[in-house]
Structures are given as C-alpha cells and as structure tokens.
Amino acid sequence: MASITPPAIEGLCALAEESCLCRDFPAAIRCLEAALSSPDSFPLSPLLESQIRLRLASLLLAHTHNLHDAKSHLERSLLLLSPLPSAPLPLKLLTHSMLSNTYHLVGAIRQQKHILFKAIQLVNHSSGLVLPRDEALMWICNFQSQMASALAVEADYPGSLEAIESGKVAAEGTGSPELKVFFAASELHIHLLHWDDSQVVDSAVQRCAGLWEEIPSYQKPRCTGLFLYAELLRTFYLLRTCDYKTASQRVEMLDIAMKKEMQRLEKVKEINSELLSIQRSLSQPDRHQMERFALEEKQGRLSERLKVETGLDIDFLDLDYEDKLYLAPQPMDGEWLPRNAVFAIVDLMVVMVGRPKGIFKECGKRIQSGLQLIYGELVKLGIVDGVTEMNLQQSTIWMAGLYLMLLLQFLENKVAVELTRSEFVEAQEALIQMKHWFVRFPTILQGCESTIEMLRGQYAHSVGCFREAAFHFVEASKLTDSKSMQSMCQVYAAVSDICLGDPESTSQALDLVGPVYQIMESFVGVREKTCIIFVYGLLLMKQQNLQEARIRLASGLKIAHQQLGNIQLVSQYLTILGTLALQLHDNAQAREILKSSLTLAKTLYDIPTQIWVLSVFTDLYRELGERENENENSEYKRKKEDDLQRRLYEAHLQEHHHELIAMERIKVQPLHEAVLKQMEAGPSVRTDLDIPESIGLPPTKPASGPRLRDRGKKR
C-alpha cells in the first residue's frame, strides 16, 4: 500500500467534502478516517488533525449512531487545540460546543457542565480581545442555552433559569430580536416543566408573545422554527389552564405555519436536488468548458433561490437542513425537535382541540397523518417488528422515546374518539397497539402505564363492565405521581361504582370523591373541577338531595360550557339536569334541556348518551300524557338500543376483549437499568414534552337499554 503523503491527506479531505456535497456521507467518513491514519513518517500537525477530527465527528453525529467514536474524536480534538496559542478561537469554541452536545446525548451531564463552564470562561477572557464583542455574545448565548438544558435534566430549575437569565443579558447585547424570543421561550419552557406559580407562568407567556411581536415582519418568515416552538409552548399552557377557545385559535395559527413550512420545504428539496445533480456533473473531469460555465451559472441562480427560501447562504446551510427547524442563528445549538416531530405535535394539537368539539373527521385525518410521520421516523431509528428497547443503540434511545411517547399520545386520542363514537372494536385495536408498544418498550414508556390502565377502564366502562372499569381506574391512580391524574382516575372509578348501583359501590364512590372534592380548587385549570362536580352531583341525587344537586350541577355545566368546550361532558351535564328537572316537575325546562342534550349527543355519534336522553324523554312524555310522542320516541330509542347491542356484541366477540378488561395489570419484563439511565439523562429542556393528558370524563352510561332506563327513572 502506498504511503499517505500530506498532499494525499489534503486530497482525502477535499474528496470527503465533495462526497458530502453529493450526500455520500459513508464515503466522506471513510475519507476522513483514512486521512487520520497518516504514518509516523508524515505526522499531521495538531491543528490539521483537530480540524479533521472535528469534521469527522460532525458527520458521525449527524449521519450515524456512532456516538462513542464522535465523542472520542471531539475529546482528542480539544486536547490538541487547548495548548495551541495559534489555534483559531472559534474553532476551540466550536469543539467545546459539539463536545457539550455529545456529552448531553450520551447522558454525561456532569462532564457536559464542566466543558460548558470552561467554554464560558474562555469566551469571557477573550471577549473584545481575540473575539469581536458581538461574536463573543453569540457564543455566550449558545453555551448558556446548553447549560440551562443540562441543569434542567438534573431538575435544577433555579440553576437553569439563572443560565437562561445570563443568556438573555447576552441576547440583549446582540440586539437580536430572535435571540430575545428564544430565551423568553426557553424560560417559559422551564416554568411549564416546573409549575410553581401560575402568575409567573402567565407572565412568561405574555413576555414571550410580546417579544415575538418585536421581530420585524420581514424577518418572521425566516423564524418558522422559533415561531412553532414558542407557539406550541403557549398552546401547552392554554391547554393546561383549560382555555380551549384561545388554544383553538393558536392551534389554527400553528397549523397554517406548518403547512406553509411544508410547502417551503418542498421547494428547498427541489432546489437541493437540482444543486446535487449539478454538483455531480461538475465533479466529472471530462465536462466541456462552456458546459461547465453554464452549470456554474445555474448553480449560482439556484443558490440565490435557496438563500431566499431559507434565509441562509449555501456555505452556512447544513446538509441535513431539511430535517431541522432552527430556533436561533449560528453558532446557537439550533433546534428544539426534529422537523417531523414538530409537525406530528402540531397534528396532535389539532386533535386535542378538535376532539372535545366532536370534529371527528378532521381528528381522524390528523391522527393518521401523525401516526404515519412517527412510524416513518421509528423505521429510520431501526425500530421495526421484533425490535425491543434492549436492541436499541445508545444514541437512539432518547429519540426513540420521543417518537414512542408521541405515538402513544395519538393512539390515546384515537381510543377516546372511537369510544365516544361507540366504535368499540376500533377502540380495542388502538388500545391493544398501545399495550403491545408498552410491552416492547416498558422502560422508555413506563410513564404511559397509568394512561393505558386508565384507558382500559374507559373501555371496560363503555362496554358495561363497571366492576372491571373501577379496578383499572384505581390501578391507574396508583401508577402515577400526578395529583391531577390520580384525582381524575378516582373520579372515573366513582362513576363506575355509581353505575353498579348497589349500596356498597355507592359508598365506595363517596369515599373516592370526598377527598378530591376537598382539593378541587387547587388544580390548575378547571378540568378536574368540572368532573368532580359532575360526580358529586350524581351522589347528591343518589341521596335524594335534588335541589343541592341541581345547584352544583348547574355551576359545573357553566364552567364546562364556557371554558372546556367539551360537548360530550356538556351533553351529559344537560342530561342529568334534564332528569333533575323532570323529578322536580319542571317539565318545560326538562324538555328544553333534553333537546339540547340530544342534539349534542347526535353530533358526537354518542349512542349510549342518546339512549339515555331518549329514556328520560319517554318518562317526560308519559308524565305529560303525550302518547304519540311517547310511542315515536320509544321506537326511535329501540332502534338505537339495537344498534348499540350489535356494537357491543361485536366487541365482546373480539379476541382482545377479555384481555383488555381482565382485572390484572399488564405483565412486562423488569425495567432495564441501562435504558432507564439513558432516558433519565438524555433529554434537554427544549425536548421534554409537557403535553397535558387528553382524556375527559367517561360517560355515566350503562351499556344496555334497561340499565339506562332504570337509572333514568330513579333520577
């Protein structure tokens, strides 16, 4: 084999860059590895070796899962650069930044904080001397942002906010409105993760929104990633506080921005494809001079078009730009989440604000769209049939966790939609998928076990298996540390106990509701409060305290209607209030209330609630002596009951029915320590999702006509 000479090394590096332009990244990596294998007779200079290792590490990080080698190259590069007075300071800072990011990816948070501390010291000592002031401030923004992420992983939220504050000061010094919004959004994200004071969180939301408005209008189209990040955080806040009306408006804006970004991305892909083709043609040595000149001219025009679309010069455009949504200008460590993950979250937000309104057709489209995006990304990560979490490479564990969590969020919403529509078989299928994913990835998805148990309760309740439903709700409450989730599961269990109807079950329901009723004002938002009031009203009716029940339920209905916008819950509130009005002989009001309830139940395709309302209507017509209306209503109710019985029969025939309602938890292998460690250490502040749990109150509806009719008479 011929010796590798310095000109050969230079040629290998040039060939590596040419391979990158042609997107042949494995070839580029091989060229750089060959360049590093210089024999002792031709040793590389420390500066050149560090530059090659830095470039090689960047390719390994971007296009492979080989974190170990990337980390080794960066550590060696920094070791070579640190004692070199002639080494360009930006190169040293870039190496610190990349090594910090790599430590973050492998979960080495202590080492990450150490390298960031050294980098910040290096900038501070060089600002205004070796580094121009503005450039130094940009590097400070970058390192403080990474420091905030590292501290947030360790749940050091005060420390994280302190790092963000230092970043904000530097951002002010740069005069960049984008950086101001970036740090305001980062601060909001920390407050959402560690919600101490609602007023503080609200102030952070308003500050972020105000700073966005300060960005000049001509710059905003180039800040799509930042806009999506800030708006999604704001939407999470609105959903948490149950401001669904405003959330719907923000989600509409997010959706429009996402669609525009998708259209722009298609243009970028077309331009990149043409540029790639030209680059390959120019790399052919036998091209005629005139032809080469024409290609170079076209290349220049396309580069200008690309700059218009992206706002970046081609020299500064990452080769994996199509996968990223940038948050801030270089050298900031750029994105929150991969582009497809952000697009999937926007789809999820559309579902979450549309489902309570009964917009099921659009919800179905978005669930399918989101699932397709996620399945595609999971395949890229090597997650195909038969793969479990123990087969995953270390570098893919956290990203796999991100997409798997999103996957279960979509399936959760699908279960909820199908149960509302009384499509029990489809709900079964989605819930079984959730269970199977959890069994394959129990450590990564351990936080989802309580949600799966809750949904098993929802399914069991919907098909009339109330004792099993109560069991699963209670189990779900044991599997979560969230006070909100615990309270909701206790409320759900109480509903199932009430539907059982016997004195012991009613007493159990009272024991479950009493404690959460005492603390219902302590929750952020009103979701818990409206559900607790609903069940408390049912118990008051059981105790024949009708006037008090009416007052309580009316207050709950007002909140549910004005703030939650959940028309299934509103429909059920109305049905209960219609029943109360009938029992209190307020027949005129009962008629009007029940009409509204039936209209909403029809909008939702909610057959059990329709049957329930029709049962109360039958009693009303009988009391009023309206025989013709009574007969017509009874016939319509019978058709609905037949339809429901058919659906229930089909659900009971499915092989997974008994598996889902069985009064036992899902059996999984013990949690894997290596995976657990990586999941705990891996995520950054900008990648932790804080999406509110999205399932509402299970309907208080037995699954058969006679039960409904009996309950209607009692109330």
Side-chain angles (χ1 to χ4, degrees):
M1 179 177 176
S3 297
I4 300 181
T5 62
I9 293 169
E10 189 177 324
L12 284 167
C13 292
L15 187 58
E17 293 309 310
E18 190 172 309
S19 298
C20 284
L21 288 172
C22 295
R23 298 190 175 249
D24 188 353
F25 301 112
I29 289 169
R30 289 194 297 271
C31 288
L32 294 174
E33 287 173 339
L36 288 173
S37 65
S38 171
D40 293 338
S41 54
F42 296 103
L44 296 172
S45 70
L47 182 58
L48 178 58
E49 182 181 345
S50 66
Q51 288 173 322
I52 294 173
R53 289 185 183 278
L54 191 62
R55 182 62 174 137
L56 179 53
S58 70
L59 292 175
L60 290 171
L61 287 170
H63 304 290
T64 76
H65 299 302
N66 195 343
L67 283 179
H68 180 269
D69 283 358
K71 180 169 74 73
S72 297
H73 285 302
L74 289 168
E75 288 172 337
R76 175 64 178 167
S77 179
L78 189 59
L79 189 65
L80 291 166
L81 287 171
S82 293
L84 283 181
S86 61
L89 184 57
L91 190 66
K92 290 183 178 180
L93 295 175
L94 178 60
T95 307
H96 279 82
S97 182
M98 290 179 62
L99 185 54
S100 163
N101 185 50
T102 306
Y103 282 145
H104 196 91
L105 290 171
V106 300
I109 303 302
R110 184 176 61 83
Q111 292 94 318
Q112 182 190 16
K113 291 192 298 181
H114 177 70
I115 205 76
L116 287 170
F117 180 73
K118 287 174 59 180
I120 292 167
Q121 281 189 320
L122 187 58
V123 177
N124 287 334
H125 291 157
S126 308
S127 179
L129 300 173
V130 183
L131 274 183
R133 177 178 175 276
D134 284 352
E135 190 176 343
L137 289 172
M138 290 295 292
W139 278 111
I140 288 293
C141 288
N142 174 47
F143 293 129
Q144 293 292 2
S145 170
Q146 292 191 55
M147 183 68 83
S149 296
L151 292 167
V153 168
E154 296 183 325
D156 182 359
Y157 298 114
S160 183
L161 289 170
E162 187 177 330
I164 289 170
E165 189 61 34
S166 298
K168 284 166 63 178
V169 172
E172 287 283 346
T174 67
S176 167
E178 297 167 64
L179 281 176
K180 293 178 187 178
V181 175
F182 169 79
F183 281 104
S186 298
E187 182 181 13
L188 170 58
H189 202 151
I190 292 294
H191 285 306
L192 288 174
L193 292 172
H194 186 61
W195 191 305
D196 266 346
D197 185 328
S198 294
Q199 191 171 351
V200 170
V201 184
D202 182 66
S203 296
V205 171
Q206 301 309 321
R207 184 162 51 253
C208 190
L211 287 171
W212 172 259
E213 293 306 318
E214 292 180 12
I215 297 179
S217 56
Y218 68 88
Q219 285 186 15
K220 286 182 179 178
R222 298 180 180 180
C223 303
T224 304
L226 184 58
F227 173 78
L228 291 171
Y229 175 48
E231 280 300 315
L232 279 169
L233 292 176
R234 187 175 181 180
T235 303
F236 297 163
Y237 166 78
L238 292 168
L239 290 174
R240 177 82 75 85
T241 56
C242 299
D243 187 351
Y244 280 84
K245 182 178 180 180
T246 309
S248 296
Q249 296 167 356
R250 309 316 300 184
V251 169
E252 187 175 345
M253 293 173 63
L254 280 166
D255 198 35
I256 291 169
M258 180 185 76
K259 288 173 179 174
K260 285 183 178 178
E261 178 64 14
M262 293 174 81
Q263 292 170 356
R264 191 176 69 83
L265 181 60
E266 286 304 311
K267 293 180 183 177
V268 170
K269 285 182 176 179
E270 289 174 12
I271 296 169
N272 275 336
S273 179
E274 290 187 65
L275 283 171
L276 181 59
S277 177
I278 290 172
Q279 184 63 37
R280 285 172 175 161
S281 297
L282 288 172
S283 67
Q284 296 173 8
D286 57 347
R287 286 285 176 187
H288 191 276
Q289 188 64 31
M290 290 299 293
E291 188 179 359
R292 182 175 293 277
F293 179 73
L295 285 170
E296 288 173 349
E297 273 197 332
K298 186 177 181 182
Q299 186 182 46
R301 291 194 300 272
L302 288 170
S303 297
E304 282 301 313
R305 281 180 57 197
L306 194 61
K307 183 178 179 180
V308 170
E309 293 295 340
T310 64
L312 296 171
D313 288 321
I314 192 167
D315 293 339
F316 297 100
L317 192 65
D318 283 357
L319 292 166
D320 54 350
Y321 171 83
E322 294 171 12
D323 297 327
K324 291 186 175 182
L325 279 168
Y326 289 93
L327 296 180
Q330 293 293 330
M332 291 294 290
D333 183 29
E335 63 173 352
W336 171 40
L337 294 173
R339 187 185 296 270
N340 278 345
V342 175
F343 287 172
I345 294 172
V346 174
D347 276 335
L348 183 61
M349 294 300 101
V350 174
V351 174
M352 288 179 66
V353 299
R355 182 171 61 78
K357 301 174 186 175
I359 310 173
F360 294 148
K361 187 174 182 181
E362 181 63 19
C363 287
K365 289 180 183 176
R366 294 312 183 98
I367 289 171
Q368 193 60 34
S369 168
L371 289 175
Q372 285 178 348
L373 282 172
I374 293 166
Y375 288 139
E377 293 302 317
L378 289 175
V379 169
K380 290 179 189 176
L381 293 169
I383 298 177
V384 294
D385 289 346
V387 172
T388 68
E389 63 187 18
M390 287 308 292
N391 305 129
L392 296 180
Q393 297 185 48
Q394 185 185 33
S395 60
T396 66
I397 287 175
W398 183 79
M399 193 56 71
L402 164 67
Y403 284 112
L404 288 168
M405 290 289 287
L406 282 173
L407 173 63
L408 262 66
Q409 287 268 350
F410 277 103
L411 291 173
E412 173 190 350
N413 277 274
K414 182 170 177 58
V415 172
V417 168
E418 302 303 354
L419 288 180
T420 302
R421 298 169 60 235
S422 304
E423 297 290 352
F424 306 123
V425 174
E426 285 77 4
Q428 267 187 29
E429 292 171 358
L431 189 46
I432 283 295
Q433 284 187 56
M434 292 182 75
K435 179 183 175 183
H436 288 170
W437 283 108
F438 173 66
V439 169
R440 286 171 62 189
F441 300 91
T443 313
I444 291 175
L445 295 175
Q446 60 178 307
C448 298
E449 186 177 5
S450 60
T451 300
I452 296 171
E453 279 299 310
M454 180 191 67
L455 290 171
R456 291 177 73 187
Q458 296 269 10
Y459 171 77
H461 186 103
S462 297
V463 296
C465 302
F466 304 120
R467 200 170 303 281
E468 292 86 346
F471 169 84
H472 289 297
F473 289 136
V474 170
E475 288 301 304
S477 71
K478 296 175 184 176
L479 290 167
T480 179
D481 294 327
S482 165
K483 294 296 182 186
S484 170
M485 182 73 159
Q486 289 172 353
S487 297
M488 293 298 287
C489 288
Q490 286 174 256
V491 168
Y492 298 161
V495 173
S496 297
D497 283 334
I498 291 170
C499 288
L500 284 168
D502 59 88
E504 183 181 351
S505 298
T506 302
S507 176
Q508 287 176 349
L510 190 59
D511 291 341
L512 287 165
V513 173
V516 295
Y517 184 80
Q518 299 299 321
I519 62 169
M520 68 179 180
E521 299 292 348
S522 67
F523 295 106
V524 175
V526 295
R527 186 171 62 94
E528 295 85 0
K529 182 177 180 179
T530 52
C531 295
I532 292 166
I533 289 174
F534 184 89
V535 182
Y536 190 68
L538 293 180
L539 289 169
L540 287 172
M541 290 177 68
K542 279 278 188 182
Q543 296 167 349
Q544 294 301 308
N545 193 345
L546 302 185
Q547 287 293 356
E548 180 66 16
R550 194 179 196 181
I551 293 168
R552 298 283 184 180
L553 289 167
S555 70
L557 172 63
K558 184 178 179 181
I559 299 170
H561 175 65
Q562 292 181 348
Q563 291 184 251
L564 285 182
N566 184 325
I567 64 175
Q568 184 180 33
L569 184 56
V570 169
S571 174
Q572 291 167 1
Y573 258 111
L574 288 170
T575 307
I576 291 285
L577 285 166
T579 305
L580 268 170
L582 179 60
Q583 291 184 357
L584 293 167
H585 307 292
D586 189 347
N587 296 334
Q589 188 181 58
R591 187 192 295 266
E592 292 305 312
I593 290 174
L594 292 170
K595 279 182 181 178
S596 298
S597 179
L598 186 58
T599 300
L600 292 177
K602 287 180 177 178
T603 300
L604 293 167
Y605 309 100
D606 183 353
I607 298 172
T609 300
Q610 290 179 48
I611 294 170
W612 179 12
V613 178
L614 292 168
S615 298
V616 184
F617 259 127
T618 298
D619 293 342
L620 174 64
Y621 292 140
R622 187 176 297 131
E623 184 163 317
L624 293 172
E626 298 179 7
R627 195 51 173 266
E628 185 176 346
N629 283 339
E630 181 185 347
N631 291 337
E632 184 180 334
N633 185 76
S634 296
E635 179 60 24
Y636 183 54
K637 181 169 73 73
R638 186 186 61 76
K639 290 179 181 178
K640 289 294 179 182
E641 287 174 341
D642 289 345
D643 185 15
L644 179 61
Q645 290 302 319
R646 176 184 59 79
R647 293 166 185 260
L648 288 169
Y649 180 70
E650 289 176 359
H652 281 259
L653 284 180
Q654 302 302 310
E655 59 176 320
H656 296 301
H657 170 73
H658 294 290
E659 176 186 345
L660 289 175
I661 68 169
M663 293 172 67
E664 60 181 16
R665 282 171 50 184
I666 301 169
K667 293 182 174 62
V668 296
Q669 295 296 318
L671 300 185
H672 301 112
E673 288 298 325
V675 179
L676 189 61
K677 181 181 177 183
Q678 185 67 13
M679 287 301 297
E680 289 175 346
S684 74
V685 59
R686 292 194 302 281
T687 46
D688 281 336
L689 293 179
D690 185 36
I691 301 174
E693 181 272 322
S694 56
I695 298 298
L697 184 74
T700 61
K701 58 194 181 207
S704 62
R707 279 183 182 268
L708 277 168
R709 190 160 52 246
D710 292 342
R711 185 179 62 184
K713 287 179 181 177
K714 288 176 186 174
R715 297 175 188 167

